[in-house]
Amino acid sequence: MRASKNTLRKFPLRRAFTFMEEGPVVLLSTFYQGRNNIMTASCTMSMDFSPMVGVMLGPWDCSYRALLQTKECVLAIPGADLLEKTVAIGNCSGAEVDKFAEFKLTPCPAAKVKAPLIGECLKNLECKLIKKSNINGGELFVLQGVAAWHNPARREQRAFHAKGDGTFFIDGRHVNLHQKMTRWQDCI
Amino acid sequence: MRASKNTLRKFPLRRAFTFMEEGPVVLLSTFYQGRNNIMTASCTMSMDFSPMVGVMLGPWDCSYRALLQTKECVLAIPGADLLEKTVAIGNCSGAEVDKFAEFKLTPCPAAKVKAPLIGECLKNLECKLIKKSNINGGELFVLQGVAAWHNPARREQRAFHAKGDGTFFIDGRHVNLHQKMTRWQDCI
């Protein structure tokens, strides 16, 4: 079902480091040669609080070329209601399928990049490519977050995590240990 | 309470890629200048299935120097029963505290590195440092897993994830979508 309206809201960029450190599965969107595309990615990391994020991609990924050429993408975090769709997105190639149409996802205009936000996702982080590093044959793309969005209207707010073997964990209990983080108070 | 016996069991290295991709908080152990140490880390990523793992460290971390000099460490995944202890480990420095003693954790002998396994953790991955890469001021340590252990006797088998702001998600529902992973069947 296509979202009837855009429910994405701006989120403070200085707090957007909270998007990626927990290691959620993400959808990476690009805009290249006149076409939007999406890939599923779970080999990612939070690299600093600015926020900076690392993503491993391979030349076999259609989005690899798009990201390399345009130096822009969006990292969108799907909720648990999109788990099966997210797996299906990872099973096909943007070379053959218009994934926004096929999976009934809504491309929404971003503020600082041409790659689209994904209207149904919980979080969207607009990113610029700042470095690419060959790591023993794979390619690590280092991304600088430049604008952030959340989607408080979504009923399902839980992200999910890939074990890498076709099984997933959905976020369970949320534990607040703010007061015990004595060393990193500036992050709280 | 110190574990009365070592309940760690060998785990097939070819399946150890399943340890890190979900983005759990880890304890990183080192052995340097005659001393064991532990740090808490959550800026990590699975880089390939061999398994290869990336970890961001800074020169302010006591373990930075240990890892750089010895080129070895263990990544140990604590269960949710160790969540508060894991936060406390991240709040003090190995320069001042013997963390194994302070936090009543059991160092167990590893097979291929001198850094100790952590007897109370769910998973332990012995690692060799294969590359260090400066990423816009931070340091990415690229680690090759060389031996793996699990701990099926632990009652609590759920890992946990840091949002980066002092709050955490414990693993919730486990969803098996093996059959829908049509593109990556060799990982299942």
Side-chain angles (χ1 to χ4, degrees), chain B residues 74-112:
Chain B
V74 167
L75 296 179
I77 303 177
D81 52 335
L82 300 182
L83 172 47
E84 294 207 17
K85 198 172 274 196
T86 299
V87 171
I89 289 168
N91 280 331
C92 60
S93 166
E96 292 145 24
V97 181
D98 173 349
K99 299 200 196 182
F100 275 97
E102 176 76 13
F103 297 105
K104 298 183 170 50
L105 294 170
T106 312
C108 299
K112 299 193 173 172

Side-chain angles (χ1 to χ4, degrees), chain B residues 30-139:
Chain B
T30 48
F31 177 77
Y32 178 53
Q33 295 182 331
R35 294 182 59 229
N36 292 326
N37 192 21
I38 318 175
M39 73 172 281
T40 300
S42 59
C43 290
T44 67
M45 82 189 293
S46 173
M47 300 189 114
D48 77 12
F49 291 112
S50 62
M52 192 165 70
V53 180
V55 183
M56 292 294 286
L57 294 185
W60 51 84
D61 296 312
C62 198
S63 304
Y64 176 95
R65 190 175 175 83
L67 181 50
L68 206 56
Q69 294 294 325
T70 64
K71 298 187 167 46
E72 292 183 348
C73 70
V74 167
L75 296 179
I77 303 177
D81 52 335
L82 300 182
L83 172 47
E84 294 207 17
K85 198 172 274 196
T86 299
V87 171
I89 289 168
N91 280 331
C92 60
S93 166
E96 292 145 24
V97 181
D98 173 349
K99 299 200 196 182
F100 275 97
E102 176 76 13
F103 297 105
K104 298 183 170 50
L105 294 170
T106 312
C108 299
K112 299 193 173 172
V113 301
K114 292 203 179 90
L117 310 175
I118 302 178
E120 289 75 9
C121 282
L122 301 177
K123 310 275 167 58
N124 279 267
L125 183 64
E126 302 181 26
C127 296
K128 301 270 192 184
L129 176 63
I130 54 174
K131 183 169 177 169
K132 185 171 78 78
S133 185
N134 186 286
I135 304 282
N136 281 44
E139 294 287 350

Side-chain angles (χ1 to χ4, degrees), chain A:
Chain A
M1 184 170 45
R2 196 162 281 257
S4 56
K5 58 176 184 171
N6 181 346
T7 55
L8 299 175
R9 299 291 174 261
K10 276 281 206 174
F11 186 87
L13 187 62
R14 66 184 165 74
R15 298 285 304 166
F17 65 83
T18 57
F19 286 8
M20 295 296 301
E21 190 168 326
E22 63 155 314
V25 177
V26 299
L27 295 172
L28 185 157
S29 92
T30 49
F31 177 76
Y32 178 53
Q33 294 183 332
R35 295 181 59 228
N36 292 326
N37 191 22
I38 318 174
M39 74 171 281
T40 301
S42 59
C43 290
T44 67
M45 82 189 293
S46 172
M47 300 188 115
D48 77 14
F49 292 112
S50 61
M52 191 167 71
V53 179
V55 183
M56 291 294 287
L57 293 185
W60 51 85
D61 295 313
C62 200
S63 305
Y64 176 95
R65 190 176 177 83
L67 181 51
L68 205 56
Q69 294 293 324
T70 64
K71 297 187 168 43
E72 293 182 348
C73 70
V74 168
L75 296 180
I77 302 178
D81 52 334
L82 299 181
L83 173 47
E84 294 207 18
K85 199 173 274 196
T86 299
V87 171
I89 288 168
N91 280 329
C92 60
S93 168
E96 291 145 24
V97 180
D98 173 349
K99 298 199 196 183
F100 275 96
E102 176 75 13
F103 297 105
K104 297 183 171 49
L105 294 170
T106 312
C108 299
K112 299 193 174 173
V113 301
K114 293 203 179 91
L117 309 175
I118 301 178
E120 289 75 8
C121 283
L122 301 177
K123 310 275 168 57
N124 280 266
L125 183 63
E126 302 182 26
C127 296
K128 300 269 191 185
L129 177 64
I130 54 174
K131 182 168 176 170
K132 185 171 77 80
S133 184
N134 187 286
I135 305 281
N136 281 43
E139 294 288 350
L140 176 71
F141 286 77
V142 180
L143 306 171
Q144 181 67 60
V146 293
W149 304 78
H150 67 152
N151 204 341
R154 296 295 287 184
R155 198 171 194 174
E156 173 59 85
Q157 287 287 330
R158 297 171 302 168
F160 55 90
H161 306 259
K163 280 192 72 73
D165 63 351
T167 75
F168 300 83
F169 282 110
I170 296 174
D171 278 346
R173 190 159 69 92
H174 187 224
V175 181
N176 186 338
L177 294 180
H178 277 170
Q179 292 181 317
K180 307 214 170 189
M181 294 277 284
T182 53
R183 202 173 171 201
W184 304 99
Q185 282 292 324
D186 51 337
C187 310
I188 292 174

